[in-house]
């Protein structure tokens, strides 16, 4: 029988207990540790499915814990912390976290996010290839594009409505090959062949990452809000979405995709070559290499 182990890295006993109870109800064995060093050792010894990490740990901070665990494990890593500034979120995702939850923790949201992760098992590594039973229902893994970050949804009562936005969608393939190619300095994106190259080297992107980069490159220096990017990924070019909702989880998913794009493109958010953050608004292509 497959064991599903969750390691909870939290120095607050009350919060640690709440997380342990929530994950235990998903059928997981939980291990609670208080320091970063204990967390790394526990991850080495137990091959966890999920590790939740607080940032403000004594000694080694949560970002360094995530980096060290990610160096030898493909487990899912969730940052659970009171630090919710964009720079903290980006640093956590850049350190290898799969998700970032800001305290106070909403237990239903945590369980929904973990549930979503377990439906998308990774190939290889130490992540389980089966899924636990949740209540009386067994959740089957997705077979297609299992490693992609899905756009997460919250209950309707927790969603915020956004005004209609003007979205830039990838143009339909043209007969002239040049019309299907986008350039940004040494970055090339071919929409028809769905190929991305940087400095002449291929860059492997997921479908969501490719579509997101296409939208940003077509927009150039025009800022794309997180809401418009979330709706563009969700629609995939299917008609008007003026009445759609975008949740906080949807917006954080965009941050996740951007962090993954930056990592794959070797881009530093502090001195961007490709993607620039516009604080409080969204993202656009960096000026340095813009055509």
């Amino acid at each position: 029988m497959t064991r599903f182990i969750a390691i909870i890295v939290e120095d607050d006993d009350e919060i640690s207990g709440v997380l342990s109870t929530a994950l235990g109800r998903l059928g997981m064995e939980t291990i609670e540790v208080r320091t970063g060093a204990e967390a790394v050792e526990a991850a080495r010894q137990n091959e966890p499915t999920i590790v939740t990490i607080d940032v403000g740990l004594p000694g080694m901070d949560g970002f360094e814990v995530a980096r060290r665990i990610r160096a030898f494990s493909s487990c899912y890593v969730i940052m659970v912390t009171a630090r919710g500034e964009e720079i903290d979120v980006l640093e956590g995702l850049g350190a290898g976290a799969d998700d970032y939850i800001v305290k106070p923790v909403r237990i239903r949201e945590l369980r929904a996010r973990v549930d979503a992760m377990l439906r998308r098992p990774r190939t290889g590594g130490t992540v389980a290839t089966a899924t636990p039973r949740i209540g009386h229902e067994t959740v089957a893994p997705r077979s297609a594009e299992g490693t992609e970050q899905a756009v997460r949804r919250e209950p309707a009562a927790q969603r915020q409505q956004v005004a209609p936005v003007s979205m830039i969608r990838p143009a339909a393939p043209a007969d002239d090959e040049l019309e299907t190619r986008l350039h940004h300095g040494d970055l090339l994106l071919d929409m028809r062949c769905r190929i991305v190259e940087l400095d002449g080297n291929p860059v492997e992107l997921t479908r969501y990452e490719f579509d997101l980069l296409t939208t940003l490159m077509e927009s150039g220096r025009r800022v794309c809000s997180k809401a418009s990017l979330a709706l563009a990924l969700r629609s995939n070019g299917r008609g008007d979405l003026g009445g759609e909702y975008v949740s906080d989880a949807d917006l954080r998913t965009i941050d996740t995709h951007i962090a993954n794009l930056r990592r794959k493109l070797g881009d530093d958010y502090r001195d961007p070559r490709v993607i620039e953050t516009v604080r409080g608004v969204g993202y656009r292509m960096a000026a340095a290499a813009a055509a």
Side-chain angles (χ1 to χ4, degrees), residues 7 36 39-41 43-44 47-53 60-79 91-100 117 122-127 147 149 256 260 263:
I7 297 176
V40 175
E41 183 60 25
R44 287 188 185 277
E47 296 189 357
T49 305
I50 287 178
V51 180
T52 71
I53 307 175
M60 187 191 309
D61 69 21
F63 299 135
E64 181 61 23
V65 174
R67 278 188 285 269
R68 295 195 183 190
I69 291 177
R70 182 57 71 228
F72 63 83
S73 174
S74 61
C75 67
Y76 294 107
V77 175
I78 306 176
M79 309 301 293
E91 185 170 358
L93 296 173
D98 297 283
D99 208 342
Y100 198 104
M117 287 180 178
R122 291 176 176 153
T123 56
T126 60
V127 180
T147 60
Q149 294 286 338
T256 300
N260 288 334
R263 175 176 53 81

Side-chain angles (χ1 to χ4, degrees), residues 133-146:
R133 294 182 64 86
I134 299 175
H136 297 289
E137 178 182 0
T138 299
V139 182
R142 295 178 184 175
S143 58
E145 300 172 351

